[in-house]
Amino acid sequence: LEKKEEEWRTQAETLADTGEKIALWKGLNQELEALFADLEDAEKQLQMTEKQKKESEKAKKSYIKIRALYESQNQKYESMRRIFLDEQAGFLARELQPGKPCPVCGALEHPHPAKISAQAPTEQELKEARVKAEQAQQSAAKASQTAGVWKGKVEEGESTLTQQSAALLDGCSLEDA
């Protein structure tokens, strides 16, 4: 009986702090569960940020393409406008009539009126080119705004991810890993 009693006392001493150990393990388990939940949130944030980066790149490429179209349309319009302005003397000369004063110089005789070149655009063609350039410019502005919104979302996502990572790694060092 004494031998049995001694065994039980030894077991009792061994089990004396079992309640404390269980409480400690429960606390550690809760911390790990919270850490896993935070890791899952960070994983979701990373996936969302990656998707946003792809959308941002698509929006940026779209903007570059639309901007190039605008620049082309605008260059075409400006070229036509320059030619149209250069040809104003020819347009005025078309209206000259013998004996009537020139609207520019007032002369009554018009011995060498200016000619209109074949490449001179009409006023209607110039207006159409201007409208196309303006529409392309509006499209480029919208595409730029869309690309900016996506860029902002990516930056916000990366900032959130950085904060989550810092919180997760707080107190950890590479030696712990």
Side-chain angles (χ1 to χ4, degrees):
L1 284 174
E2 286 177 5
K3 189 175 181 183
K4 262 306 190 194
E5 183 183 357
E6 186 60 34
E7 281 180 32
W8 287 341
R9 281 185 193 193
T10 306
Q11 284 180 348
E13 288 173 7
T14 305
L15 297 174
D17 62 348
T18 303
E20 293 173 11
K21 287 181 181 178
I22 289 174
L24 176 67
W25 284 107
K26 282 183 179 179
L28 290 173
N29 188 41
Q30 287 176 345
E31 288 179 30
L32 283 175
E33 286 175 358
L35 179 63
F36 282 124
D38 290 345
L39 283 171
E40 286 178 356
D41 288 346
E43 175 81 21
K44 288 176 186 174
Q45 181 64 43
L46 177 63
Q47 290 172 354
M48 186 173 68
T49 301
E50 290 301 317
K51 286 179 185 177
Q52 289 172 334
K53 280 183 181 181
K54 289 177 184 176
E55 289 298 322
S56 178
E57 280 302 311
K58 278 190 346 188
K60 182 179 177 182
K61 287 178 183 178
S62 176
Y63 164 68
I64 290 169
K65 189 174 166 183
I66 292 171
R67 184 188 68 197
L69 176 65
Y70 159 68
E71 288 172 354
S72 171
Q73 291 288 342
N74 193 53
Q75 185 177 20
K76 180 180 177 183
Y77 165 69
E78 287 299 327
S79 175
M80 288 176 74
R81 189 172 80 67
R82 198 170 23 264
I83 292 169
F84 182 80
L85 292 175
D86 289 347
E87 297 292 330
Q88 287 303 297
F91 289 124
L92 288 172
R94 269 196 320 209
E95 305 299 320
L96 293 177
Q97 295 176 3
K100 293 204 174 186
C102 172
V104 176
C105 66
L108 297 175
E109 293 183 22
H110 317 292
H112 303 290
K115 304 283 184 219
I116 299 175
S117 69
Q119 66 186 23
T122 65
E123 196 170 344
Q124 182 62 31
E125 290 171 330
L126 185 63
K127 284 180 183 178
E128 289 171 5
R130 186 187 80 232
V131 167
K132 284 182 182 178
E134 288 172 351
Q135 289 172 342
Q137 192 247 356
Q138 290 171 356
S139 294
K142 284 180 184 177
S144 174
Q145 183 181 17
T146 300
V149 167
W150 279 110
K151 182 179 178 186
K153 287 181 180 183
V154 168
E155 289 172 354
E156 185 179 324
E158 287 176 341
S159 174
T160 300
L161 196 55
T162 300
Q163 291 170 0
Q164 286 176 328
S165 298
L168 285 170
L169 297 175
D170 188 34
C172 292
S173 66
L174 290 177
E175 290 79 32
D176 295 340

